[in-house]
Amino acid sequence: MPEPPKHISFSARETLERCAKSYFLGRIAGAPKRPALWLAGGSAVHETTEFYDLWTLTEPGPRGQERGFSAGNVWHQQFDAQLEKIRAKEPNENVWRRSASEDIDAWRRIGLQFVQSYIDWRERSPWEIWTTPDGEPAIELDVSGKLPGCPVEIKAYLDRVFYDPVFKKHWIVCLGRPLLAPGYRVVLAPGEERIVLAPPESRWGGMHSYGVMPD
């Protein structure tokens, strides 16, 4: 019998709650699963936007293409790298899971559109990448921890945490579907300079998923 996992992701935890058999086959038994083109595209979008946000922190001046960031070049590099990963698992592209209207060429176009839409929003928005108390930019921020009733560590990452200087609020932004289970929050632990997961019944103030951190 395979050993139980030392940690699971929020998506794995949701799968376990929804269908234990599906979790066992996919996460424990390692049943074969066809690669999905949309997962490769989504990962490349995440990585390209991450490159962009890191770029804005290291390059002075206003955000944007005029500073030398080539969204197209970075996107294609990341997408090609993701394609190579799934080709290594399944060379036959005909068996990949994909939408009927979204082949590789279509994803090359729409993925870049997703990236450019994000960049356009970032250029218009006054929001800034938040810096944690220990000096870490809140990009793919690790907020892993244990939750009540679950002895296994939950691996969780926040795509971005922004600070709104206009309303002086913090916002969590997820570039895909929400990573936190309904009701769970990410908070600054009382008396500590660290971010932790908090269950719904917690009275700590904090940053809500798609919400704000109270002053």
Side-chain angles (χ1 to χ4, degrees):
M1 174 68 67
E3 291 291 328
K6 296 181 179 179
H7 57 76
I8 62 175
S9 65
F10 255 101
S11 60
R13 183 174 181 269
E14 291 173 351
T15 300
L16 178 60
E17 292 178 342
R18 184 178 66 253
C19 178
K21 186 67 172 180
S22 176
Y23 175 86
F24 174 79
L25 291 174
R27 307 282 181 164
I28 304 296
K33 187 175 183 180
R34 291 183 299 156
L37 180 57
W38 59 76
L39 292 180
S43 295
V45 169
H46 270 73
E47 291 174 354
T48 305
T49 56
E50 181 178 348
F51 270 105
Y52 171 77
D53 279 329
L54 290 171
W55 180 274
T56 66
L57 297 177
T58 58
E59 294 295 323
R63 308 182 191 117
Q65 297 285 354
E66 68 275 6
R67 285 182 21 226
F69 183 84
S70 176
N73 287 343
V74 177
W75 155 252
H76 289 300
Q77 289 172 3
Q78 297 306 312
F79 186 50
D80 286 340
Q82 290 296 327
L83 291 178
E84 288 306 308
K85 286 182 180 179
I86 62 175
R87 286 190 180 111
K89 296 178 180 178
E90 176 51 73
N92 185 358
E93 297 178 8
N94 294 321
V95 302
W96 292 359
R97 291 178 294 158
R98 68 179 77 191
S99 167
S101 61
E102 296 178 357
D103 58 11
I104 292 178
D105 289 337
W107 254 105
R108 288 195 182 279
R109 296 190 302 272
I110 63 177
L112 182 56
Q113 290 171 2
F114 291 150
V115 169
Q116 191 59 55
S117 293
Y118 177 79
I119 292 175
D120 291 344
W121 169 72
R122 287 281 283 119
E123 291 178 357
R124 295 191 306 268
S125 173
W127 291 7
E128 305 163 353
I129 298 292
W130 179 59
T131 300
T132 67
D134 60 1
E136 179 184 1
I139 299 174
E140 295 295 322
L141 187 63
D142 188 349
V143 293
S144 304
K146 292 184 178 180
L147 298 174
C150 183
V152 178
E153 182 187 24
I154 304 294
K155 299 297 290 184
Y157 295 85
L158 303 180
D159 290 344
R160 305 290 187 276
V161 179
F162 287 100
Y163 177 68
D164 179 354
V166 177
F167 294 99
K168 302 188 184 307
K169 300 291 185 181
H170 293 76
W171 293 85
I172 296 171
V173 173
C174 178
L175 301 182
R177 65 186 184 86
L179 298 182
L180 299 182
Y184 280 93
R185 301 175 296 155
V186 183
V187 306
L188 289 174
E192 300 184 39
E193 292 188 345
R194 64 188 179 96
I195 296 176
V196 298
L197 294 170
E201 63 272 16
S202 170
R203 296 182 179 179
W204 297 353
M207 293 176 287
H208 295 254
S209 184
Y210 294 104
V212 300
M213 182 166 65
D215 294 328

